Amino acid sequence: IMSSTLATRRSRRDNTTTTSCIAPDTTDTNHKYTKEDDRPKQQGWWTIMSVALCILLLWAVFYYETNIAPRTNFKNTVTNDRSNLQRNPFSDKQKHETSFVTIVMPSVVNYKERERRLTAIAKTWGPASHAIYVIHNLQKEYPTPVDDRIRILQVPSNITFDDGLPRLYHVLREVYQNYEFDYAFFVNDHTFVIPEHLCHYIQTYLASANKNIYVGHALNNQNDAFNSGAAGYILSRSTIKDFIQALNAKDPNCIADGGNKWLQGNPGLVTANCFQKSLNAIVKDTREAKKYHRFHAYGIVRMVMGKVDDWYRNKHAKLNDLLPNIFDDSYAQVLKGVDCCSSETISFHYVESMETMALHRIRTELQTNPTMNDTNLSKLIQQVWPSDAKLLGGYARMLPSTNTEDWTNLLFVLRRISPKGLADTCHP
């Protein structure tokens, strides 16, 4: 009998000391504990410790999945994981299955504010534009992901921030290899994009992703046409494919001296040369009704007030002489006031983070309440727009006075670029 009792106690002890997420059953109706037997207390402590350990492990797994894993996945999305290949078609309301991505390159201006700009983009136009952030240092440039629809393209460490051409070549290869899309819109992190207008333009005016297409805001650079990198430009998938093939073939029109600092800072001039001379992707007049520009190299305030630089005006001249079948004399004029901007405006540039948030808020409010009167719209603008010139950045301008024609024109243009109908019918 004693032997049997000891064996039973041993068995119970062995079973209850195993770490498990289910508390052991210590009930035994056939056994009476003696005063000398304190094992039930020990078993109770083991149960508490087992449950506590399981809770700790479950919390650790949850924390990793929600905080650590997403950060790792962001870094490797484009460069390593082919399972993330995706198309980004328009909504079911759309006629076509056209898709696009927006490549957000690093701006060479005011790098220290890049984190704030990328965060603002992620909170506003980035997700709907299928943004892909081109990043050198994730911890410095975009340490806290805001929206998991934003993709990250990590630039290799052997390509520095100043290596504009190698970076662009790398990005074109990576995007083509790792994403399925019909068109790619190239901008930098100083750009404000209106996603539904980009969608509408691609769907309505661009013929086929199987053709070489290179469109944006055309300028004249010493008798060579190119599209402003500040305003952004659209490439078809076919253009990118043929450009990569030209690079591989060492086409002299598509490569440049790596030591040329000017070209490193303006790599778009090299690609423009290649697109037009080797790929037959010619710039186009993208104005609405041959008058109102859709892509802008400055912010909305400078465009409305006509406060643009002389070099910018000069680069609109003589495009009609260079490409007479595409441009007419009117292209040489940079319009201001209510004529500055198309109702289908796609981009503004030199937009810092707080202006991005403000412009997004104003457009959203106008689309929600199209009949908002000028008094309430003026109050909203003054409430949300940065009042400190430092927050706007050195290339932007402060709001005009409210009792001026510039202010009236600004209200008109803000309404003009915020049509509710277009957002309903063509939102990515």
Short mmCIF file of all heavy atoms in Angstrom, two decimals, residues 116-161:
data_model
loop_
_atom_site.label_atom_id
_atom_site.label_comp_id
_atom_site.label_asym_id
_atom_site.label_seq_id
_atom_site.Cartn_x
_atom_site.Cartn_y
_atom_site.Cartn_z
N ARG A 116 9.81 64.66 -41.63
CA ARG A 116 8.49 65.28 -41.47
C ARG A 116 7.73 65.30 -42.79
O ARG A 116 6.51 65.10 -42.81
CB ARG A 116 8.65 66.71 -40.93
CG ARG A 116 9.09 66.78 -39.47
CD ARG A 116 9.00 68.23 -38.96
NE ARG A 116 9.35 68.31 -37.55
CZ ARG A 116 10.56 68.50 -37.08
NH1 ARG A 116 11.58 68.63 -37.92
NH2 ARG A 116 10.79 68.57 -35.78
N ARG A 117 8.44 65.55 -43.89
CA ARG A 117 7.75 65.57 -45.19
C ARG A 117 7.21 64.19 -45.54
O ARG A 117 6.06 64.05 -45.99
CB ARG A 117 8.70 66.06 -46.29
CG ARG A 117 9.05 67.54 -46.19
CD ARG A 117 9.68 68.06 -47.47
NE ARG A 117 10.95 67.44 -47.78
CZ ARG A 117 12.13 67.88 -47.36
NH1 ARG A 117 12.20 68.95 -46.57
NH2 ARG A 117 13.25 67.29 -47.70
N LEU A 118 8.01 63.15 -45.34
CA LEU A 118 7.56 61.79 -45.65
C LEU A 118 6.40 61.37 -44.74
O LEU A 118 5.47 60.68 -45.18
CB LEU A 118 8.72 60.81 -45.52
CG LEU A 118 9.82 60.94 -46.58
CD1 LEU A 118 10.93 59.92 -46.32
CD2 LEU A 118 9.28 60.77 -47.99
N THR A 119 6.45 61.77 -43.49
CA THR A 119 5.35 61.46 -42.58
C THR A 119 4.07 62.16 -43.02
O THR A 119 2.99 61.55 -43.02
CB THR A 119 5.73 61.88 -41.14
OG1 THR A 119 6.89 61.15 -40.72
CG2 THR A 119 4.58 61.60 -40.18
N ALA A 120 4.18 63.43 -43.42
CA ALA A 120 3.01 64.17 -43.88
C ALA A 120 2.43 63.55 -45.15
O ALA A 120 1.21 63.44 -45.31
CB ALA A 120 3.37 65.63 -44.12
N ILE A 121 3.30 63.13 -46.06
CA ILE A 121 2.84 62.48 -47.29
C ILE A 121 2.09 61.19 -46.96
O ILE A 121 1.03 60.90 -47.55
CB ILE A 121 4.02 62.20 -48.24
CG1 ILE A 121 4.58 63.52 -48.79
CG2 ILE A 121 3.61 61.28 -49.39
CD1 ILE A 121 5.89 63.37 -49.54
N ALA A 122 2.61 60.41 -46.02
CA ALA A 122 1.96 59.16 -45.62
C ALA A 122 0.59 59.41 -45.01
O ALA A 122 -0.30 58.56 -45.08
CB ALA A 122 2.84 58.40 -44.65
N LYS A 123 0.40 60.59 -44.41
CA LYS A 123 -0.88 60.91 -43.79
C LYS A 123 -1.85 61.56 -44.76
O LYS A 123 -3.03 61.74 -44.42
CB LYS A 123 -0.65 61.88 -42.62
CG LYS A 123 0.06 61.26 -41.42
CD LYS A 123 0.26 62.29 -40.32
CE LYS A 123 0.92 61.67 -39.09
NZ LYS A 123 1.14 62.68 -38.02
N THR A 124 -1.39 61.90 -45.96
CA THR A 124 -2.24 62.63 -46.90
C THR A 124 -2.34 61.91 -48.25
O THR A 124 -3.11 60.97 -48.39
CB THR A 124 -1.73 64.07 -47.06
OG1 THR A 124 -0.35 64.05 -47.47
CG2 THR A 124 -1.84 64.85 -45.75
N TRP A 125 -1.53 62.33 -49.20
CA TRP A 125 -1.71 61.82 -50.56
C TRP A 125 -0.96 60.52 -50.86
O TRP A 125 -1.24 59.86 -51.87
CB TRP A 125 -1.30 62.88 -51.59
CG TRP A 125 0.12 63.36 -51.52
CD1 TRP A 125 0.58 64.48 -50.91
CD2 TRP A 125 1.27 62.75 -52.13
NE1 TRP A 125 1.94 64.62 -51.08
CE2 TRP A 125 2.39 63.56 -51.82
CE3 TRP A 125 1.47 61.60 -52.89
CZ2 TRP A 125 3.68 63.25 -52.26
CZ3 TRP A 125 2.75 61.29 -53.32
CH2 TRP A 125 3.83 62.10 -53.00
N GLY A 126 -0.03 60.12 -50.02
CA GLY A 126 0.83 58.97 -50.32
C GLY A 126 0.10 57.66 -50.56
O GLY A 126 0.32 57.00 -51.58
N PRO A 127 -0.76 57.22 -49.62
CA PRO A 127 -1.41 55.91 -49.82
C PRO A 127 -2.23 55.83 -51.11
O PRO A 127 -2.15 54.83 -51.83
CB PRO A 127 -2.30 55.79 -48.57
CG PRO A 127 -1.59 56.60 -47.53
CD PRO A 127 -1.03 57.77 -48.28
N ALA A 128 -3.03 56.85 -51.40
CA ALA A 128 -3.88 56.82 -52.60
C ALA A 128 -3.08 56.92 -53.88
O ALA A 128 -3.56 56.54 -54.95
CB ALA A 128 -4.91 57.95 -52.54
N SER A 129 -1.84 57.42 -53.78
CA SER A 129 -0.98 57.51 -54.97
C SER A 129 -0.06 56.31 -55.09
O SER A 129 0.81 56.27 -55.96
CB SER A 129 -0.13 58.78 -54.89
OG SER A 129 -0.93 59.93 -54.95
N HIS A 130 -0.23 55.31 -54.20
CA HIS A 130 0.59 54.09 -54.21
C HIS A 130 2.07 54.45 -54.12
O HIS A 130 2.89 54.02 -54.94
CB HIS A 130 0.31 53.26 -55.45
CG HIS A 130 -1.15 53.13 -55.77
ND1 HIS A 130 -2.05 52.59 -54.90
CD2 HIS A 130 -1.87 53.48 -56.87
CE1 HIS A 130 -3.27 52.61 -55.44
NE2 HIS A 130 -3.18 53.16 -56.63
N ALA A 131 2.40 55.26 -53.11
CA ALA A 131 3.75 55.81 -52.99
C ALA A 131 4.78 54.75 -52.61
O ALA A 131 4.52 53.87 -51.79
CB ALA A 131 3.76 56.93 -51.94
N ILE A 132 5.93 54.86 -53.23
CA ILE A 132 7.11 54.07 -52.88
C ILE A 132 8.20 55.06 -52.47
O ILE A 132 8.65 55.87 -53.28
CB ILE A 132 7.60 53.21 -54.07
CG1 ILE A 132 6.50 52.24 -54.52
CG2 ILE A 132 8.86 52.43 -53.69
CD1 ILE A 132 6.85 51.46 -55.78
N TYR A 133 8.61 55.01 -51.21
CA TYR A 133 9.64 55.92 -50.71
C TYR A 133 11.03 55.37 -51.02
O TYR A 133 11.35 54.24 -50.66
CB TYR A 133 9.53 56.08 -49.19
CG TYR A 133 8.35 56.89 -48.70
CD1 TYR A 133 8.12 57.04 -47.33
CD2 TYR A 133 7.48 57.53 -49.58
CE1 TYR A 133 7.05 57.78 -46.85
CE2 TYR A 133 6.42 58.28 -49.12
CZ TYR A 133 6.20 58.40 -47.75
OH TYR A 133 5.14 59.14 -47.28
N VAL A 134 11.85 56.18 -51.67
CA VAL A 134 13.24 55.83 -51.92
C VAL A 134 14.06 56.33 -50.73
O VAL A 134 14.15 57.54 -50.50
CB VAL A 134 13.74 56.43 -53.24
CG1 VAL A 134 15.22 56.12 -53.45
CG2 VAL A 134 12.90 55.91 -54.41
N ILE A 135 14.64 55.40 -49.97
CA ILE A 135 15.24 55.71 -48.68
C ILE A 135 16.72 55.31 -48.65
O ILE A 135 17.09 54.23 -49.10
CB ILE A 135 14.50 54.95 -47.55
CG1 ILE A 135 13.04 55.38 -47.48
CG2 ILE A 135 15.20 55.12 -46.22
CD1 ILE A 135 12.81 56.74 -46.89
N HIS A 136 17.55 56.19 -48.09
CA HIS A 136 18.95 55.85 -47.82
C HIS A 136 19.12 55.34 -46.40
O HIS A 136 19.76 54.32 -46.18
CB HIS A 136 19.85 57.07 -48.04
CG HIS A 136 20.13 57.38 -49.47
ND1 HIS A 136 21.22 56.86 -50.15
CD2 HIS A 136 19.46 58.13 -50.37
CE1 HIS A 136 21.20 57.29 -51.40
NE2 HIS A 136 20.14 58.07 -51.56
N ASN A 137 18.56 56.05 -45.44
CA ASN A 137 18.70 55.69 -44.03
C ASN A 137 17.31 55.68 -43.40
O ASN A 137 16.73 56.72 -43.11
CB ASN A 137 19.60 56.70 -43.32
CG ASN A 137 19.92 56.29 -41.89
OD1 ASN A 137 19.07 55.77 -41.17
ND2 ASN A 137 21.15 56.52 -41.45
N LEU A 138 16.77 54.48 -43.20
CA LEU A 138 15.40 54.35 -42.73
C LEU A 138 15.19 55.00 -41.37
O LEU A 138 14.17 55.65 -41.12
CB LEU A 138 15.01 52.87 -42.66
CG LEU A 138 13.53 52.56 -42.42
CD1 LEU A 138 12.68 53.08 -43.57
CD2 LEU A 138 13.31 51.07 -42.24
N GLN A 139 16.16 54.83 -40.46
CA GLN A 139 16.01 55.36 -39.10
C GLN A 139 16.01 56.89 -39.08
O GLN A 139 15.39 57.50 -38.21
CB GLN A 139 17.12 54.82 -38.20
CG GLN A 139 17.03 53.32 -37.95
CD GLN A 139 15.66 52.92 -37.39
OE1 GLN A 139 15.16 53.57 -36.47
NE2 GLN A 139 15.08 51.88 -37.93
N LYS A 140 16.70 57.52 -40.02
CA LYS A 140 16.74 58.97 -40.05
C LYS A 140 15.61 59.56 -40.89
O LYS A 140 15.08 60.63 -40.58
CB LYS A 140 18.08 59.45 -40.62
CG LYS A 140 19.26 59.28 -39.67
CD LYS A 140 20.51 59.89 -40.28
CE LYS A 140 21.69 59.80 -39.32
NZ LYS A 140 22.92 60.39 -39.90
N GLU A 141 15.25 58.89 -41.97
CA GLU A 141 14.33 59.48 -42.94
C GLU A 141 12.88 59.11 -42.72
O GLU A 141 11.98 59.90 -43.00
CB GLU A 141 14.76 59.08 -44.35
CG GLU A 141 16.15 59.62 -44.72
CD GLU A 141 16.67 59.04 -46.02
OE1 GLU A 141 15.88 58.92 -46.98
OE2 GLU A 141 17.86 58.69 -46.10
N TYR A 142 12.62 57.89 -42.24
CA TYR A 142 11.23 57.46 -42.03
C TYR A 142 11.20 56.40 -40.94
O TYR A 142 10.86 55.25 -41.18
CB TYR A 142 10.65 56.93 -43.35
CG TYR A 142 9.16 56.68 -43.34
CD1 TYR A 142 8.27 57.70 -43.01
CD2 TYR A 142 8.65 55.44 -43.69
CE1 TYR A 142 6.90 57.47 -43.02
CE2 TYR A 142 7.28 55.20 -43.70
CZ TYR A 142 6.41 56.23 -43.37
OH TYR A 142 5.06 56.00 -43.39
N PRO A 143 11.56 56.78 -39.71
CA PRO A 143 11.71 55.79 -38.63
C PRO A 143 10.40 55.22 -38.11
O PRO A 143 10.37 54.12 -37.56
CB PRO A 143 12.43 56.59 -37.53
CG PRO A 143 12.03 58.00 -37.78
CD PRO A 143 11.91 58.14 -39.26
N THR A 144 9.30 55.95 -38.26
CA THR A 144 8.02 55.50 -37.71
C THR A 144 6.99 55.39 -38.81
O THR A 144 6.35 56.39 -39.18
CB THR A 144 7.53 56.49 -36.63
OG1 THR A 144 8.56 56.70 -35.67
CG2 THR A 144 6.30 55.93 -35.92
N PRO A 145 6.80 54.20 -39.38
CA PRO A 145 5.80 54.04 -40.46
C PRO A 145 4.41 54.47 -40.00
O PRO A 145 3.98 54.14 -38.89
CB PRO A 145 5.86 52.54 -40.75
CG PRO A 145 7.20 52.11 -40.30
CD PRO A 145 7.52 52.96 -39.12
N VAL A 146 3.72 55.20 -40.86
CA VAL A 146 2.41 55.75 -40.53
C VAL A 146 1.29 54.94 -41.17
O VAL A 146 0.22 54.76 -40.59
CB VAL A 146 2.32 57.22 -40.98
CG1 VAL A 146 0.93 57.79 -40.76
CG2 VAL A 146 3.35 58.06 -40.25
N ASP A 147 1.54 54.44 -42.37
CA ASP A 147 0.51 53.72 -43.14
C ASP A 147 1.18 52.56 -43.87
O ASP A 147 2.15 52.77 -44.59
CB ASP A 147 -0.15 54.68 -44.14
CG ASP A 147 -1.41 54.09 -44.77
OD1 ASP A 147 -1.30 53.02 -45.41
OD2 ASP A 147 -2.49 54.70 -44.63
N ASP A 148 0.66 51.35 -43.67
CA ASP A 148 1.34 50.18 -44.24
C ASP A 148 1.16 50.06 -45.74
O ASP A 148 1.70 49.15 -46.37
CB ASP A 148 0.89 48.90 -43.54
CG ASP A 148 -0.60 48.63 -43.66
OD1 ASP A 148 -1.28 49.35 -44.42
OD2 ASP A 148 -1.10 47.70 -43.00
N ARG A 149 0.42 50.99 -46.35
CA ARG A 149 0.32 50.99 -47.82
C ARG A 149 1.52 51.68 -48.47
O ARG A 149 1.73 51.55 -49.68
CB ARG A 149 -0.97 51.68 -48.25
CG ARG A 149 -2.23 50.89 -47.94
CD ARG A 149 -3.48 51.70 -48.19
NE ARG A 149 -3.60 52.80 -47.24
CZ ARG A 149 -4.58 53.70 -47.26
NH1 ARG A 149 -5.51 53.65 -48.22
NH2 ARG A 149 -4.63 54.66 -46.35
N ILE A 150 2.30 52.41 -47.68
CA ILE A 150 3.52 53.03 -48.19
C ILE A 150 4.61 51.98 -48.29
O ILE A 150 4.88 51.27 -47.33
CB ILE A 150 4.00 54.17 -47.26
CG1 ILE A 150 2.90 55.23 -47.10
CG2 ILE A 150 5.29 54.79 -47.80
CD1 ILE A 150 2.58 56.01 -48.34
N ARG A 151 5.23 51.87 -49.45
CA ARG A 151 6.31 50.91 -49.64
C ARG A 151 7.68 51.60 -49.53
O ARG A 151 7.80 52.80 -49.76
CB ARG A 151 6.20 50.25 -51.02
CG ARG A 151 4.87 49.54 -51.26
CD ARG A 151 4.73 48.33 -50.37
NE ARG A 151 3.51 47.58 -50.66
CZ ARG A 151 3.22 46.42 -50.12
NH1 ARG A 151 4.04 45.87 -49.25
NH2 ARG A 151 2.10 45.80 -50.42
N ILE A 152 8.68 50.81 -49.17
CA ILE A 152 10.03 51.34 -48.99
C ILE A 152 10.98 50.67 -49.98
O ILE A 152 11.01 49.44 -50.09
CB ILE A 152 10.53 51.07 -47.55
CG1 ILE A 152 9.60 51.71 -46.52
CG2 ILE A 152 11.96 51.59 -47.38
CD1 ILE A 152 9.50 53.20 -46.61
N LEU A 153 11.75 51.49 -50.69
CA LEU A 153 12.80 50.99 -51.55
C LEU A 153 14.13 51.46 -50.95
O LEU A 153 14.46 52.64 -51.01
CB LEU A 153 12.63 51.51 -52.98
CG LEU A 153 13.42 50.80 -54.09
CD1 LEU A 153 12.82 51.09 -55.45
CD2 LEU A 153 14.89 51.17 -54.08
N GLN A 154 14.84 50.53 -50.36
CA GLN A 154 16.10 50.84 -49.68
C GLN A 154 17.24 50.93 -50.69
O GLN A 154 17.50 50.00 -51.45
CB GLN A 154 16.42 49.76 -48.65
CG GLN A 154 17.60 50.06 -47.76
CD GLN A 154 17.23 50.94 -46.57
OE1 GLN A 154 16.23 50.71 -45.91
NE2 GLN A 154 18.05 51.94 -46.31
N VAL A 155 17.94 52.06 -50.70
CA VAL A 155 19.08 52.25 -51.59
C VAL A 155 20.31 51.58 -50.97
O VAL A 155 20.56 51.72 -49.77
CB VAL A 155 19.35 53.75 -51.80
CG1 VAL A 155 20.56 53.97 -52.71
CG2 VAL A 155 18.12 54.43 -52.38
N PRO A 156 21.09 50.82 -51.74
CA PRO A 156 22.29 50.17 -51.19
C PRO A 156 23.27 51.18 -50.61
O PRO A 156 23.34 52.33 -51.07
CB PRO A 156 22.90 49.45 -52.40
CG PRO A 156 21.81 49.36 -53.41
CD PRO A 156 20.90 50.51 -53.17
N SER A 157 24.04 50.76 -49.62
CA SER A 157 24.95 51.66 -48.92
C SER A 157 26.07 52.19 -49.82
O SER A 157 26.66 53.23 -49.54
CB SER A 157 25.55 50.95 -47.71
OG SER A 157 26.25 49.78 -48.11
N ASN A 158 26.37 51.48 -50.92
CA ASN A 158 27.44 51.96 -51.81
C ASN A 158 26.98 53.12 -52.70
O ASN A 158 27.78 53.73 -53.39
CB ASN A 158 27.96 50.81 -52.67
CG ASN A 158 26.90 50.26 -53.60
OD1 ASN A 158 25.79 49.97 -53.17
ND2 ASN A 158 27.22 50.11 -54.87
N ILE A 159 25.68 53.44 -52.68
CA ILE A 159 25.16 54.60 -53.40
C ILE A 159 24.87 55.68 -52.36
O ILE A 159 24.00 55.51 -51.50
CB ILE A 159 23.87 54.26 -54.18
CG1 ILE A 159 24.15 53.19 -55.24
CG2 ILE A 159 23.30 55.51 -54.84
CD1 ILE A 159 22.92 52.74 -56.01
N THR A 160 25.59 56.78 -52.42
CA THR A 160 25.43 57.83 -51.42
C THR A 160 24.29 58.77 -51.81
O THR A 160 23.76 58.72 -52.92
CB THR A 160 26.72 58.64 -51.27
OG1 THR A 160 26.92 59.44 -52.46
CG2 THR A 160 27.92 57.72 -51.06
N PHE A 161 23.96 59.67 -50.88
CA PHE A 161 22.87 60.62 -51.12
C PHE A 161 23.16 61.52 -52.31
O PHE A 161 22.25 61.94 -53.02
CB PHE A 161 22.63 61.45 -49.86
CG PHE A 161 21.40 62.30 -49.92
CD1 PHE A 161 20.15 61.78 -49.60
CD2 PHE A 161 21.46 63.63 -50.33
CE1 PHE A 161 19.00 62.55 -49.68
CE2 PHE A 161 20.32 64.42 -50.39
CZ PHE A 161 19.08 63.87 -50.07
#
